[in-house]
Amino acid sequence: MKSTFSRLFFTLSLLLLAATVLVSGSFQWLASRHITNQTITSLENDAQVIASLYRAGYEDKGISRQDFYMALTVAISVSGADAVICDADGTLLMCANAPMGCEHVGLQLSSQYRNRVFSEGTCTDTGIIGGLYEENRYMASVAVTDPHTGAPLAIVIVSSPVDDTLINIRRISETFLLVTVLVVAMAVVILTFFVRRQSTPLRDMAKAAKAFGHGDFNARVS
């Protein structure tokens, strides 16, 4: 009887462990996909806002360069991302984090990527911009064109490190896994208690039967 309950308990424990691993893996995949999509969507929105600022400055000659810098700084500080603005030839004009001057000014985007941005209007990628960012990043690029002639004016690129997003995903997954393990541990403890409690009468019967078999005819079960 003891062996039967042991096998049952072991089987249930394995099922709980398998369920924990499956749920944890599924949650991590869903969380990774959701946070990645959310990050890219946020970068796209930020790029559209900065592109609108640049377009407004181009159309309204009354907006000074200083006013544009201030609006750009506020927009990028709220989002927390990094942004650069290139001209129609793909030459970097300014970094939003250092609008008054940046060591990367003059960096040239590849003609292939530049043509792709102006062709599609909006591009999202994951990669490295050589000479500007050395780490892998999520990027959203938006083309700015003349509203009247459609001529290319500039390219806005907003990005954030992939590692920052992965760290958040890892923290969420670790927290979820810890909570799940604690729940499973509590379930095992509770299950052990109930199994022992339910099997007590059977153990008493087995004990009395053994005593009776050894000649103790006074053995009884409560």
Side-chain angles (χ1 to χ4, degrees):
M1 187 61 64
K2 182 177 180 181
S3 177
T4 301
F5 278 105
S6 297
R7 287 196 297 268
L8 176 61
F9 179 75
F10 181 72
T11 301
L12 290 175
S13 299
L14 285 180
L15 289 175
L16 285 173
L17 180 60
T20 300
V21 173
L22 180 61
V23 172
S24 178
S26 300
F27 176 81
Q28 184 171 4
W29 180 78
L30 290 173
S32 175
R33 185 175 180 181
H34 172 73
I35 293 178
T36 299
N37 291 338
Q38 191 177 45
T39 299
I40 293 176
T41 300
S42 177
L43 293 176
E44 288 179 325
N45 292 336
D46 294 339
Q48 292 288 357
V49 169
I50 295 174
S52 298
L53 288 174
Y54 189 92
R55 191 178 296 109
Y58 173 79
E59 293 180 338
D60 186 357
K61 302 304 181 182
I63 298 178
S64 67
R65 195 173 181 85
Q66 184 66 31
D67 291 337
F68 174 75
Y69 283 160
M70 291 181 60
L72 179 61
T73 302
V74 170
I76 210 63
S77 63
V78 171
S79 68
D82 297 321
V84 297
I85 300 177
C86 302
D87 63 15
D89 295 326
T91 303
L92 196 147
L93 298 177
M94 70 176 72
C95 294
N97 292 330
M100 293 303 186
C102 173
E103 60 180 355
H104 300 111
V105 171
L107 173 71
Q108 192 81 21
L109 296 178
S110 68
S111 59
Q112 183 180 2
Y113 186 72
R114 183 181 71 244
N115 293 335
R116 179 188 164 202
V117 174
F118 282 121
S119 174
E120 299 181 9
T122 303
C123 295
T124 56
D125 301 278
T126 302
I128 297 173
I129 302 179
L132 181 60
Y133 302 119
E134 299 305 324
E135 74 274 21
N136 205 26
R137 302 174 76 90
Y138 295 115
M139 298 180 292
S141 303
V142 174
V144 183
T145 56
D146 188 303
H148 304 293
T149 65
L153 299 176
I155 296 176
V156 175
I157 302 176
V158 180
S159 65
S160 64
V162 172
D163 289 343
D164 290 352
T165 303
L166 295 180
I167 288 174
N168 294 330
I169 295 173
R170 195 176 299 115
R171 288 175 179 172
I172 294 174
S173 299
E174 289 175 353
T175 301
F176 179 81
L177 182 60
L178 177 61
V179 172
T180 304
V181 169
L182 290 177
V183 171
V184 170
M186 291 178 60
V188 169
V189 172
I190 294 173
L191 181 62
T192 302
F193 171 76
F194 278 105
V195 166
R196 289 184 177 275
R197 183 174 180 180
Q198 295 298 323
S199 62
T200 297
L202 297 177
R203 291 200 302 270
D204 291 342
M205 290 177 61
K207 185 177 180 180
K210 184 177 181 180
F212 190 82
H214 284 81
D216 183 7
F217 300 111
N218 293 324
R220 297 290 184 273
V221 177
S222 302

